[in-house]
Amino acid sequence: TTSVYGAFSRFTNPTIRNVERRLEPHVGGRSVFRWQPAVAKGHLSFIAGGELQQGWYNIRNYNNNNGTSGALQYEDEVQPLVWMLFAQADYRLPRGWNVTAGASSNQNRVRITRLSILPPRLFERTYKNELAPRLALAKTFGKSTTVFGSVARGFSPPTSAEVLPSAGTISTGLQAETGWNYEAGLRHSHQKWFFETIFFYFLLQDAIVQRRDAGGADFFVNAGSTRQLGTESQVRYTTAVAPLLPQLTLRANHTWHNFQYGNYRQLNNDFSGKLLPGVPKHTFTIAADAALSKGFYFHASYLYQDAVPLNDANSFWAPAFHLLQLRAGWQGNLHAHWQLETYVAGDNLL
């Protein structure tokens, strides 16, 4: 299977410091090959392919004169190039075993020509080829319980917006993020019940984080290492009480995220062991969806989010909050080709 695409976006962003204008045409293509050889036992399938993306961007920043473009601050031509090769094998064995092994090879190059200086200057960075392997194993017991685990390595070079942020600096010195992720989980279903929980441990090197200079402009730096430990769980119950309640679904989800800096120093400040900004430790939601008789329905959901650190030093926090969402309505057929729905709802209650 082969697919190609072309895209174009025109972006204008008047900010406090400047007015940014972007023209971003780019093209890409992807080819995937699948093969399923006959084996003595089980089911074996292979998938392999490649992907290529190329962009030709023009980015200009002007002084902001009451919301209109003033004098030109800088103009850049940006040419991002991304390619990757990937392959994966999936082997379903008897007695409920499933093994998946795969890898991808990735490369990223960005060229930036600053046209607003004379003579124009070329900045270029090629991020080295990185191999990203993944191995996963799953075992199904009976028809309702599955235990699974995986280990994978990831590679993420900085985006064009991170290399060329609103501060106007050209950050070709940014390193790509790399990391290892370990996961284990359990999935179980029984009649009207479904339950799933996942435990993960993610070790990230050269994490890219956002900063602001004295004028309020954004720029990005590598923040050393982070340790991201967490669990994500969900439980769902579906039933019916005819004829008044044809369908009722109850859901509950919980996440626990303990994301910390590993080794991170900024000038004279040591943030090692501090929590990552913007990540709540606990998030909990419950929801109910009821399909009543004669086209009536009801939906309710509740969200709790824990307090969130807002800076690297963890000295400023956003408080925890509760949200409630309610919706009740009716929908039905007025005619063979006409449908009507009417409802009343409230969002972000509490």
Side-chain angles (χ1 to χ4, degrees):
T1 303
T2 298
S3 59
V4 296
Y5 77 90
F8 174 83
S9 67
R10 181 183 180 186
F11 179 75
T12 302
N13 182 28
T15 64
I16 295 176
R17 293 184 69 256
N18 52 35
V19 175
E20 181 184 40
R21 298 182 181 273
R22 292 174 176 254
L23 298 177
E24 298 182 336
H26 66 283
V27 298
R30 178 182 178 93
S31 227
V32 179
F33 301 87
R34 294 177 176 86
W35 179 42
Q36 295 181 348
V39 292
K41 294 183 179 181
H43 180 272
L44 179 62
S45 63
F46 291 95
I47 182 172
E51 184 170 326
L52 177 70
Q53 297 180 10
Q54 172 74 65
W56 298 270
Y57 303 164
N58 180 267
I59 302 174
R60 290 164 291 158
N61 276 266
Y62 302 88
N63 291 336
N64 189 334
N65 293 338
N66 296 320
T68 62
S69 301
L72 178 69
Q73 294 182 354
Y74 53 86
E75 179 180 7
D76 299 290
E77 288 182 347
V78 183
Q79 297 182 30
L81 173 67
V82 180
W83 65 260
M84 65 177 294
L85 300 173
F86 57 88
Q88 179 172 295
D90 188 84
Y91 193 15
R92 293 203 302 268
L93 292 160
R95 299 184 180 180
W97 289 96
N98 191 88
V99 181
T100 302
S104 66
S105 180
N106 310 266
Q107 193 167 72
N108 177 288
R109 187 196 70 198
V110 59
R111 288 177 175 171
I112 302 174
T113 303
R114 176 140 291 182
L115 302 175
S116 51
I117 60 176
L118 294 176
R121 184 179 175 186
L122 174 64
F123 300 83
E124 184 175 356
R125 176 69 186 274
T126 299
Y127 295 90
K128 65 180 181 179
N129 192 0
E130 293 280 354
L131 188 66
R134 179 178 182 268
L135 178 64
L137 180 66
K139 175 68 168 73
T140 300
F141 299 90
K143 297 182 179 180
S144 58
T145 303
T146 301
V147 178
F148 53 91
S150 68
V151 57
R153 182 180 186 271
F155 165 75
S156 178
T159 65
S160 299
E162 291 168 342
V163 175
L164 188 61
S166 61
T169 56
I170 298 177
S171 305
T172 52
L174 274 178
Q175 302 298 320
E177 297 177 323
T178 59
W180 284 92
N181 186 58
Y182 306 88
E183 284 191 13
L186 170 70
R187 183 183 301 117
H188 176 74
S189 61
H190 178 69
Q191 297 179 354
K192 302 175 182 180
W193 290 91
F194 174 81
F195 170 76
E196 182 178 28
T197 185
I198 296 175
F199 167 84
F200 66 89
Y201 184 42
F202 183 37
L203 299 171
L204 182 66
Q205 301 293 328
D206 294 318
I208 297 175
V209 298
Q210 186 178 14
R211 292 283 176 266
R212 279 192 171 88
D213 62 16
D218 298 331
F219 65 98
F220 298 85
V221 298
N222 290 109
S225 62
T226 67
R227 298 188 299 266
Q228 301 181 19
L229 178 68
T231 62
E232 299 178 354
S233 305
Q234 64 166 319
V235 60
R236 183 175 67 245
Y237 176 74
T238 303
T239 188
V241 184
L244 178 63
L245 191 62
Q247 182 174 341
L248 173 64
T249 301
L250 303 175
R251 301 186 306 273
N253 296 68
H254 175 261
T255 64
W256 172 72
H257 290 163
N258 186 19
F259 293 1
Q260 296 180 334
Y261 286 118
N263 180 21
Y264 177 35
R265 291 177 173 81
Q266 183 185 23
L267 300 178
N268 296 325
N269 300 314
D270 186 358
F271 300 121
S272 303
K274 298 291 186 180
L275 297 175
L276 267 65
V279 181
K281 266 199 172 183
H282 294 276
T283 303
F284 177 70
T285 62
I286 56 175
D289 286 288
L292 306 175
S293 61
K294 298 182 180 180
F296 290 95
Y297 65 87
F298 176 75
H299 167 80
S301 65
Y302 162 78
L303 164 69
Y304 167 78
Q305 180 173 295
D306 210 351
V308 178
L310 298 180
N311 61 353
D312 290 331
N314 296 170
S315 57
F316 293 96
W317 290 70
F321 63 84
H322 308 262
L323 289 181
L324 184 64
Q325 181 187 55
L326 299 173
R327 181 182 177 119
W330 175 88
Q331 58 183 357
N333 296 322
L334 296 181
H335 189 266
H337 303 290
W338 293 87
Q339 291 181 325
L340 174 67
E341 179 179 6
T342 178
Y343 63 88
V344 58
D347 292 336
N348 297 333
L349 305 177
L350 307 181

